[in-house]
Amino acid sequence: MKKGIRVLCLVLALLLFSAFAIGSGSTDATEKTDSDTTAAGDVTVAADTAEYELGDGIVRVWTNSIDTKWIMVAVPVKNTGTTDLYLSTGTIDVEDASGTLVQSISMVSVYPQVLQPGETAYYYEETLFDGGSEDGLTVVPHVDVEKATVDCIRYELSEIQVKDQEYNSAHVVGRVENTTDTAESMAYVVANLYDTDGNFLAQEFTILDNELGAGEKMGFETGSTAYEFNADEVGSYEVYGFPYQYQF
């Protein structure tokens, strides 16, 4: 009797093992992954779900008025396809001229998150510089771009100005209007600023303190960057207003 029970248990264990192996084999056969680690520098990336171009990465190191060393990194991503894209946070590695890793910056934000065809977003971060060589620094971005499954919602903007501040870099002020029929508790305004030669200068953003009701218009001021510049250094800008959108 005991021998029969042991045989029965053995048969059941073999059956379970076979079922698990078949299931695992099926998953491996159908799973497909695409690398999203791409060096910046006018690189075009095309996949089944996204088509975009990474522009030249930007890195800048400076020392502020209290002798603290900072680094700014930025990587442009242009939507070269015909459908909206969704961009998630990424990582940017900073290398010196020899290719040695100087600093790795994770959880780098990108705005706007939902990118329409022809538009350019920036992965952008300012943080303290870890040290090391400042010569010939380049960036290696690790980005996360996919086809958008959420609608691209944009708010109307008006009265846009770039103004100087007494102790900080220039910032952007204006009004944002929620033209949708849904109130938003996390309304963003993001400004990409360019110098008089058309070169990328900085990115500034703000989250409105109060809920932006449906049809409501509210003033905003972007937060200034650690990198200091004056309003007369800004030759052009792109400003976006939108709700924070999640895609799973």
Side-chain angles (χ1 to χ4, degrees), residues 37 73 91-95 101-105 138-142:
T37 300
V73 293
T91 298
I92 295 180
D93 294 336
V94 181
E95 298 179 349
L101 180 66
V102 174
Q103 188 164 349
S104 184
I105 306 171
T138 58
V139 299
V140 179
H142 308 266

Side-chain angles (χ1 to χ4, degrees), residues 63-101:
T63 302
N64 65 11
S65 57
I66 59 172
D67 206 32
T68 301
K69 191 162 288 189
W70 285 78
I71 186 171
M72 179 271 278
V73 293
V75 176
V77 181
K78 183 177 181 179
N79 184 346
T80 56
T82 58
T83 60
D84 293 346
L85 300 178
Y86 185 86
L87 289 72
S88 301
T89 56
T91 298
I92 295 180
D93 294 336
V94 181
E95 298 179 349
D96 63 18
S98 68
T100 300
L101 180 66

Side-chain angles (χ1 to χ4, degrees), residues 148-167:
T149 59
V150 294
D151 294 332
C152 182
I153 301 173
R154 298 285 170 80
Y155 297 141
E156 288 190 8
L157 302 165
S158 59
E159 303 176 48
I160 305 297
Q161 301 177 63
V162 180
K163 288 189 171 184
D164 283 322
Q165 300 185 89
E166 186 174 358
Y167 299 108

Side-chain angles (χ1 to χ4, degrees), residues 48-51 79 83-89 110 112-116 123 144-153 242-248:
D48 293 339
T49 56
E51 191 172 345
N79 184 346
T83 60
D84 293 346
L85 300 178
Y86 185 86
L87 289 72
S88 301
T89 56
V110 56
Q113 287 176 295
V114 183
L115 196 62
Q116 297 177 353
Y123 280 87
D144 187 354
V145 184
E146 58 186 325
K147 184 177 178 180
T149 59
V150 294
D151 294 332
C152 182
I153 301 173
F242 51 87
Y244 191 87
Q245 295 179 274
Y246 298 92
Q247 178 166 305
F248 300 97

Side-chain angles (χ1 to χ4, degrees), residues 165-231:
Q165 300 185 89
E166 186 174 358
Y167 299 108
N168 299 306
S169 59
H171 66 160
V172 179
V173 301
R175 293 181 188 271
V176 56
E177 181 178 359
N178 182 354
T179 50
T180 74
D181 57 4
T182 303
E184 179 54 51
S185 60
M186 289 187 67
Y188 280 65
V189 178
V190 175
N192 295 324
L193 306 174
Y194 303 86
D195 64 21
T196 53
D197 293 323
N199 300 311
F200 181 79
L201 186 62
Q203 184 181 84
E204 299 182 350
F205 80 98
T206 188
I207 306 173
L208 300 187
D209 292 335
N210 301 101
E211 179 179 87
L212 187 63
E216 185 178 7
K217 182 184 290 188
M218 188 181 299
F220 70 84
E221 296 186 6
T222 59
S224 58
T225 66
Y227 177 69
E228 296 185 7
F229 56 89
N230 298 321

